[in-house]
Amino acid sequence: MPTIAGSEKSEEVSLLSEDTISTPKKLKSRQRIAVSNLRTPDKEVKQDSHENLAVDSLSDCLGSESRDEDQMRAVKEALHVSKAPSTIVCREDEHRRVFEFVKGCLDQQKAGSLYICGCPGTGKSLSIEKVVKQVGDWSKQACLPPVDTLSVNCTSLTKTADIFSKILEIVEPVKEDNCYSSPLHRLQSLFSQKQDSSSRMMLIIADEMDFLITKDRGVLHDLFMLTIFPFSTCILIGVANAIDLADRFLPKLKSLNCKPMVITFPAYSKDQILRILQERLMVLPYVAFQSNALELCARKVAAASGDMRKALSVCRSAIEILEIDIRGSPGPESQGPTPDNPVVRMDHMAAALSKTFKSPVVDTIQTLPQHQQIIICSAAKAFRGSKKDATIGELNKLYLEICKSRVISPAGITEFTNMCTVLNDQGILKFGQARGNKLKRVSLRVDESDITFALQGVRFFRNCLL
Amino acid sequence: MGNENPAEKALNLIRGRLCDPTFVFRPLSASSDSNYSKLKFIVSTSVTEGCNNSILLLGPRGSGKAAVLDLVVGDLMEEYPDSVTLISLNGLLHSEDNCAFKEIARQLCMEHHLLFSKMASFDENSQFIIAMLRECGLAHKTIIFVLDEFDMFAQASYSRGKQRLLYSLLDAMQSVTSQAVVVGISSRLDADQLLEKRVRSRFSHRKILFLPPSREEIDSLLEHLLSLPADSSFPSGYVSQFNEKIKNITSDTRFKDMLKTFLNANSTVNSLLKFIFRAVSSMNLESGLLSLENFKTALSSMQRQPKLEAVRADCSILELYLLVCMRRLEVKEQSSYNFISVMKEYKTIHDSFQTSDFYAQNVCLRAFEHLREREVICYAENRGQSQAGEYRSMKLLISASELHQGMRSHACCPAILLKLLDH
């Protein structure tokens, strides 16, 4: 044990004291980036856990616990968002269409543009990565010249026009002397002249493309126009969330009859989510989830948004609840029904779902101090009709009325204003702008039904809100 | 010497405890269901297993969110030295993207003893951060990003609603190469609704709610804070006497009522600590023991009503008359009134009730000015400055109930005034 830990430490120290400088092209600052190819060994960590097992196999309890922990860890890893599976299920159709498009462009050595849209969490970036790999393999097989790929996440650009310089770096790796023209003009002039036949096709992938939208929409427009030039060699794939981005922001392209092809990635349905989760869990040799728990999760997430990340997060949360369950009841109970194979049941999944989907507002309102609850009630009563906001002074009057009718001594105006500020901080009330304190306009941010639901247990408030 | 020293020492000890958040929140870490253990579980699994996570701490101000997070991070740094790096940002200072990236790069440089250049551009900073994340991921060191005032990051107006910093941080959580945890602290309950849908999809929707403590928790907290330890530095008789007195006070029903009144207005842990601090500070050093009166004075000092005190302590009978006249005018639905109309009402009262306090106009004017200086009344609007003070419309800055209470507790308020007010 000590030797392993010692060597781990020494490796880490050496990692940080190396000052080999990695030089990105424009490194003017004096930041020294410590880059080394030493990986602190994965095997060390694994050896550690094996040691754990060896030491703890003396007592059964501890042995089963660390085995459980390893199991839990493996399941959580299998369900982590960053672990991309090797084959993508439920997106075969879209994957095929994108691949056909790229293949078509490469076959005819023509430029083209494609726009991919869909809600977040529907597998767009994942599919694109797979397509890029597939294209690379295919072009090698078909003995075509290799395709250059540029994958840019547009949120990382400081200026939107930087994307053109990035494209230029790949098209023309050797800079010529006339760097007076902007990268865009250079690209446009390059694509208008016939180049030598050894020029390669370039695949440009612009992720989160709506960051390129500027006020005059120039950059987005120019980017798509690059594919229209007679001798252009780039295949552009844009990814964003808005379905009608092409229509709204690129009207001129329609007039030139070269609108990009649009592929929509629809949100996942319940069956698709279920299938994806099962695929991920197939790599494990044991059953970690009861099937009805998985189905409950898929149903709920599909009804809400169809976002795969959310489904994975809910499953991981359910595993954590299971872990806490096991940990919190050591000893005899772990040797009960399933000593070796803890399984996520419906109640764990239901708890995880409620944690994720429930808004904390109801819980908070239930635990607020009494005077603040009275303030919320008076606001709910005041804003029932068409009136949606009032000044603090008016709200105070209502508050005093309620207090008087139930014989509670009300708080003074200063304390009332303080309590309203606290509620504003929490996002239950909303303050408007005003100069004086009493003239500030207050409106309710929470639904009245939430308030009624939260306070239904107390008779006083039930009568209040009648 | 003698009795003074233990009392002073005890006072210092207790006051020190109240100001130290680690001490206050430590007993909460004992129970397995508390927020501390939930948070610790999530962050420590990220440290040990290398999976990324993001989490949001929600609760009203002063409920101990930052304190519990500090406790957790401190404990983790002890358990896994050299494996945890802490980067903290605040939404009030760093909500702009440039600023935030610079600050993250600066803190990373400080932690790993690298040189930081202030001239580094945004691009260079972000490349550096990405490289550092990758390196730390390979070295199995976890970076904990703490974003205080999380809703400010989501609402920054200069980034045109694009939330670039949040997107980059949460996107980094999605990749295999980095090992990091993002902890957001906010007092807005709907903080995650403020996020853009892309950013919200990458956020793992874990929320820990900090609710006000229950009665049992408050009782145990009081005992934990106020009992003296059986230390050798205190005379043992004194310690048992002190603790006995504390037990008597806390089980007294009057104390329980007082606590209930206090908690009905404000139930966060922070305000409770302030209340106890004031009570302890007014401890009688002669006897060296706390008493119920200390808590009573603390309660009244925390629930001050300044305008009421202005009326009760400061106003003369004439001024009270003027205030009652203004109130009666308000009740009669006269939306705006000035000094002249108040004088008319005053005269009407005098005529109908034959009161003995009838003063001339200039005396009344002086009383009026006095009231205005005390900010019990004020001019209704700021225009019309050229008009003489008597013709400008006025309004009351004190509510009817406060006026009523102030007059009732006034030393020598004539009974007729109260009758006139109630009317």
Side-chain angles (χ1 to χ4, degrees):
Chain A
M1 256 315 213
T3 48
I4 292 184
S7 67
E8 221 178 295
K9 265 203 159 53
S10 69
E11 292 212 317
E12 279 183 21
V13 166
S14 63
L15 174 76
L16 296 171
S17 63
E18 282 211 18
D19 46 8
T20 50
I21 304 179
S22 96
T23 48
K25 284 180 190 167
K26 297 186 273 182
L27 192 65
K28 292 182 217 140
S29 73
R30 293 180 341 178
Q31 284 171 349
R32 283 183 280 164
I33 303 177
V35 173
S36 75
N37 287 328
L38 280 177
R39 289 185 72 137
T40 7
D42 266 334
K43 42 189 187 345
E44 231 106 304
V45 177
K46 287 226 180 65
Q47 273 184 354
D48 231 20
S49 65
H50 283 309
E51 291 251 49
N52 246 343
L53 281 180
V55 166
D56 293 341
S57 64
L58 296 170
S59 69
D60 273 340
C61 265
L62 289 175
S64 75
E65 230 180 60
S66 57
R67 226 180 311 144
D68 279 347
E69 276 183 20
D70 280 345
Q71 275 187 6
M72 298 285 114
R73 198 182 308 184
V75 178
K76 276 202 278 200
E77 254 190 63
L79 287 176
H80 199 270
V81 186
S82 49
K83 282 268 178 317
S86 48
T87 54
I88 304 200
V89 287
C90 303
R91 282 290 173 232
E92 291 94 354
D93 189 35
E94 287 87 4
H95 183 100
R96 192 181 40 83
R97 282 168 71 188
V98 177
F99 183 59
E100 296 292 320
F101 169 78
V102 178
K103 213 162 66 144
C105 287
L106 284 178
D107 273 337
Q108 303 167 8
Q109 292 278 309
K110 217 170 63 122
S113 58
L114 172 67
Y115 174 62
I116 294 187
C117 58
C119 290
T122 44
K124 303 184 290 290
S125 307
L126 203 57
S127 302
I128 302 280
E129 278 171 34
K130 295 286 185 249
V131 167
V132 168
K133 251 192 272 187
Q134 216 182 346
V135 164
D137 294 336
W138 174 78
S139 66
K140 244 186 286 193
Q141 269 186 349
C143 305
L144 286 173
V147 182
D148 293 323
T149 320
L150 170 68
S151 194
V152 173
N153 191 320
C154 301
T155 51
S156 60
L157 301 171
T158 0
K159 279 192 322 231
T160 45
D162 281 347
I163 191 169
F164 296 119
S165 28
K166 285 203 190 216
I167 300 179
L168 192 60
E169 273 167 30
I170 298 199
V171 171
E172 205 182 27
V174 179
K175 252 181 126 164
E176 293 192 2
D177 273 334
N178 58 340
C179 35
Y180 292 116
S181 56
S182 69
L184 175 61
H185 288 140
R186 181 84 193 122
L187 282 171
Q188 285 174 338
S189 67
L190 269 180
F191 287 151
S192 330
Q193 314 154 0
K194 180 129 174 66
Q195 296 160 27
D196 44 358
S197 54
S198 66
S199 66
R200 315 204 292 198
M201 298 292 287
M202 186 166 67
L203 183 60
I204 306 173
I205 301 176
D207 222 342
E208 313 288 356
M209 211 170 59
D210 43 339
F211 272 78
L212 291 179
I213 298 179
T214 50
K215 243 199 184 127
D216 58 351
R217 293 120 187 228
V219 175
L220 201 59
H221 203 253
D222 290 329
L223 187 62
F224 274 94
M225 292 286 275
L226 277 180
T227 58
I228 300 178
F229 285 100
F231 300 103
S232 161
T233 54
C234 45
I235 306 172
L236 175 66
I237 301 185
V239 184
N241 293 127
I243 294 187
D244 55 354
L245 195 92
D247 292 326
R248 261 194 303 155
F249 296 105
L250 304 169
K252 285 198 217 151
L253 289 184
K254 200 153 64 157
S255 60
L256 286 169
N257 215 10
C258 30
K259 241 177 61 161
M261 188 165 105
V262 176
I263 296 185
T264 318
F265 275 57
Y268 285 116
S269 70
K270 159 189 153 301
D271 297 317
Q272 289 175 327
I273 296 184
L274 196 53
R275 232 185 100 198
I276 296 178
L277 286 174
Q278 282 165 346
E279 283 277 333
R280 279 204 181 216
L281 292 172
M282 253 182 0
V283 296
L284 302 167
Y286 43 79
V287 173
F289 282 81
Q290 276 187 353
S291 56
N292 49 359
L294 273 185
E295 199 178 319
L296 176 67
C297 169
R299 221 181 264 273
K300 196 76 198 280
V301 174
S305 55
D307 184 346
M308 198 60 217
R309 288 191 186 110
K310 213 165 198 173
L312 292 170
S313 166
V314 168
C315 291
R316 280 176 61 211
S317 185
I319 298 251
E320 276 168 18
I321 295 180
L322 179 68
E323 265 185 310
I324 295 183
D325 230 4
I326 297 180
R327 203 174 288 199
S329 51
E333 224 175 300
S334 70
Q335 276 153 21
T338 52
D340 290 321
N341 245 347
V343 175
V344 174
R345 300 186 302 269
M346 285 281 274
D347 48 338
H348 300 130
M349 190 57 87
L353 281 170
S354 74
K355 253 178 36 173
T356 312
F357 283 104
K358 193 161 77 150
S359 112
V361 169
V362 172
D363 280 332
T364 315
I365 295 185
Q366 279 175 339
T367 52
L368 280 178
Q370 193 190 36
H371 282 283
Q372 294 183 13
Q373 285 173 331
I374 300 181
I375 296 180
I376 296 184
C377 275
S378 40
K381 270 175 93 161
F383 302 141
R384 251 181 209 165
S386 53
K387 193 162 145 143
K388 280 307 160 204
D389 63 355
T391 63
I392 289 197
E394 289 162 14
L395 198 62
N396 191 25
K397 277 202 197 103
L398 284 168
Y399 165 76
L400 291 174
E401 262 175 39
I402 296 187
C403 284
K404 203 157 55 164
S405 67
R406 307 286 193 259
V407 197
I408 301 180
S409 58
I413 184 72
T414 0
E415 216 169 312
F416 179 81
T417 326
N418 285 343
M419 288 198 275
C420 284
T421 319
V422 168
L423 289 173
N424 173 45
D425 270 343
Q426 292 194 270
I428 298 179
L429 292 179
K430 184 159 77 160
F431 276 176
Q433 294 284 27
R435 264 177 300 132
N437 225 0
K438 260 198 171 166
L439 297 172
K440 274 206 194 136
R441 300 205 73 87
V442 181
S443 55
L444 201 56
R445 236 195 262 261
V446 176
D447 230 8
E448 193 189 327
S449 45
D450 279 337
I451 301 176
T452 328
F453 178 69
L455 295 174
Q456 64 188 5
V458 182
R459 185 156 46 115
F460 167 69
F461 292 116
R462 257 208 315 264
N463 297 340
C464 233
L465 287 169
L466 276 177
Chain B
M1 287 308 269
N3 245 357
E4 287 284 286
N5 260 340
E8 275 180 13
K9 269 203 308 198
L11 189 59
N12 287 338
L13 176 72
I14 296 184
R15 285 208 280 215
R17 280 179 183 176
L18 288 169
C19 295
D20 178 17
T22 340
F23 184 83
V24 173
F25 288 100
R26 186 50 79 178
L28 298 175
S29 62
S31 81
S32 65
D33 199 25
S34 66
N35 287 334
Y36 169 86
S37 38
K38 284 188 215 162
L39 187 59
K40 181 138 191 253
F41 181 66
I42 295 183
V43 183
S44 59
T45 46
S46 303
V47 172
T48 51
E49 298 172 18
C51 58
N52 302 330
N53 249 324
S54 47
I55 189 173
L56 203 54
L57 303 178
L58 299 174
R61 288 192 198 281
S63 43
K65 308 183 285 287
V68 170
L69 181 65
D70 284 339
L71 258 182
V72 169
V73 172
D75 285 346
L76 283 177
M77 289 216 178
E78 273 176 21
E79 281 176 41
Y80 307 102
D82 293 337
S83 278
V84 174
T85 314
L86 184 68
I87 308 278
S88 32
L89 296 173
N90 193 313
L92 292 169
L93 300 170
H94 307 128
S95 56
E96 226 211 331
D97 294 327
N98 283 339
C99 215
F101 273 90
K102 201 190 247 197
E103 181 64 22
I104 297 180
R106 187 185 70 83
Q107 289 191 17
L108 280 173
C109 286
M110 236 170 43
E111 283 277 336
H112 297 282
H113 308 292
L114 300 168
L115 240 50
F116 174 68
S117 153
K118 290 196 202 142
M119 298 299 139
S121 72
F122 179 79
D123 262 341
E124 288 163 4
N125 277 336
S126 56
Q127 279 172 10
F128 173 67
I129 292 172
I130 295 177
M132 275 309 274
L133 273 175
R134 199 172 35 231
E135 282 309 307
C136 288
L138 292 175
H140 287 287
K141 289 164 70 93
T142 313
I143 305 185
I144 301 183
F145 289 96
V146 176
L147 300 174
D148 228 334
E149 313 286 346
F150 187 76
D151 43 308
M152 293 286 195
F153 283 108
Q155 280 179 327
S157 50
Y158 345 83
S159 55
R160 277 170 289 145
K162 290 204 181 154
Q163 300 176 358
R164 236 203 289 198
L165 171 70
L166 290 176
Y167 180 84
S168 347
L169 279 182
L170 289 175
D171 205 30
M173 302 291 117
Q174 312 272 304
S175 70
V176 188
T177 53
S178 57
Q179 188 170 336
V181 187
V182 173
V183 183
I185 305 181
S186 173
S187 60
R188 275 198 59 165
L189 299 171
D190 56 348
D192 62 332
Q193 305 297 322
L194 295 169
L195 298 173
E196 246 195 340
K197 59 179 177 341
R198 280 187 275 244
V199 181
R200 198 171 345 144
S201 159
R202 287 167 167 80
F203 172 64
S204 78
H205 288 276
R206 272 167 233 262
K207 295 184 257 215
I208 295 187
L209 203 51
F210 279 74
L211 297 172
S214 61
R215 286 315 304 245
E216 300 84 32
E217 283 175 5
I218 293 181
D219 289 332
S220 62
L221 189 65
L222 280 173
E223 207 188 291
H224 171 69
L225 288 170
L226 293 173
S227 328
L228 288 178
D231 222 8
S232 59
S233 56
F234 289 105
S236 62
Y238 175 65
V239 168
S240 48
Q241 225 185 351
F242 192 88
N243 291 345
E244 190 63 38
K245 193 76 204 295
I246 298 283
K247 272 214 214 4
N248 286 343
I249 294 179
T250 47
S251 45
D252 194 343
T253 41
R254 286 174 295 169
F255 177 77
K256 290 201 184 132
D257 284 337
M258 226 191 299
L259 202 56
K260 201 161 128 189
T261 339
F262 177 71
L263 291 174
N264 268 345
N266 209 338
S267 56
T268 56
V269 178
N270 211 7
S271 53
L272 188 65
L273 290 178
K274 283 193 201 153
F275 172 60
I276 301 178
F277 192 92
R278 274 187 225 219
V280 165
S281 303
S282 57
M283 179 167 92
N284 186 353
L285 284 173
E286 295 267 322
S287 66
L289 300 171
L290 281 176
S291 71
L292 204 59
E293 273 59 46
N294 297 134
F295 288 95
K296 270 202 197 128
T297 36
L299 188 65
S300 54
S301 80
M302 288 198 83
Q303 291 186 334
R304 288 186 55 223
Q305 290 180 310
K307 302 237 193 277
L308 198 152
E309 283 169 27
V311 168
R312 180 179 57 185
D314 246 12
C315 284
S316 63
I317 309 281
L318 174 59
E319 284 156 8
L320 288 179
Y321 263 99
L322 292 175
L323 286 173
V324 169
C325 291
M326 289 177 82
R327 176 71 196 143
R328 284 168 65 92
L329 284 177
E330 260 185 20
V331 167
K332 287 187 200 169
E333 308 267 331
Q334 243 182 306
S335 53
S336 75
Y337 42 83
N338 58 14
F339 178 66
I340 305 295
S341 33
V342 172
M343 287 308 292
K344 262 192 240 163
E345 177 75 17
Y346 184 44
K347 186 147 191 325
T348 339
I349 293 181
H350 175 71
D351 287 338
S352 45
F353 290 99
Q354 297 297 323
T355 55
S356 56
D357 305 296
F358 190 64
Y359 296 94
Q361 180 139 340
N362 50 351
V363 181
C364 293
L365 193 57
R366 259 211 300 232
F368 225 63
E369 284 302 313
H370 187 230
L371 281 176
R372 204 168 62 80
E373 272 166 31
R374 285 290 277 155
E375 296 227 349
V376 185
I377 62 180
C378 72
Y379 289 131
E381 34 185 61
N382 274 333
R383 295 175 278 148
Q385 299 247 358
S386 52
Q387 280 181 319
E390 304 148 331
Y391 296 97
R392 289 175 67 185
S393 51
M394 318 277 299
K395 67 175 180 179
L396 271 176
L397 285 178
I398 182 173
S399 66
S401 58
E402 281 181 332
L403 184 57
H404 205 139
Q405 250 185 305
M407 280 170 53
R408 252 187 300 167
S409 46
H410 195 266
C412 40
C413 175
I416 183 125
L417 270 184
L418 285 169
K419 207 163 54 157
L420 283 171
L421 190 61
D422 286 334
H423 197 235

